[in-house]
Amino acid sequence: FLIEHRDHPDHSRFFHLAVDKRPAIELYNIIADPGCLMNLADSSEFADVRDELAKKLEAELRATGDSRLGDDPDIWETYRRYSPIRSFPNS
């Protein structure tokens, strides 16, 4: 439905929410925004929270030897995909 109606003004927003590439950093107030539609990562009001969480995440990734911090962080993009939908129309 979303692919077929991706240009319809009532539905295009939902198409993009479903298929667009996610931002590198996301931060949401899940109490005020339970649908997580307003990314606060670039808000100066939440810069301290964002930075603190980023440090905690990096420490955990390093402690666990996560490959995203290794020599080939893009390895996640090379795995074979099995979904019947692998490409989406440009809009």
Side-chain angles (χ1 to χ4, degrees):
F1 177 88
L2 289 177
I3 292 171
E4 292 172 8
H5 297 90
R6 68 186 174 274
D7 295 323
H8 190 283
D10 293 339
H11 307 298
S12 66
R13 176 174 177 254
F14 300 105
F15 170 80
H16 291 287
L17 284 171
V19 302
D20 285 357
K21 186 171 178 150
R22 306 296 303 197
I25 300 173
E26 296 178 277
L27 180 66
Y28 299 98
N29 179 339
I30 61 172
I31 306 278
D33 177 24
C36 297
L37 300 176
M38 268 184 71
N39 187 0
L40 303 172
D42 292 330
S43 170
S44 59
E45 181 182 353
F46 295 98
D48 291 342
V49 172
R50 180 197 61 228
D51 294 346
E52 178 185 343
L53 291 172
K55 286 178 188 175
K56 287 181 178 182
L57 174 60
E58 184 173 341
E60 182 66 18
L61 293 175
R62 290 196 186 285
T64 59
D66 194 288
S67 61
R68 284 169 276 221
L69 298 179
D71 294 334
D72 187 16
D74 292 329
I75 192 169
W76 300 101
E77 298 302 323
T78 64
Y79 289 115
R80 188 174 195 178
R81 310 287 188 193
Y82 293 96
S83 172
I85 300 174
R86 289 311 321 146
S87 61
F88 296 95
N90 293 330
S91 58

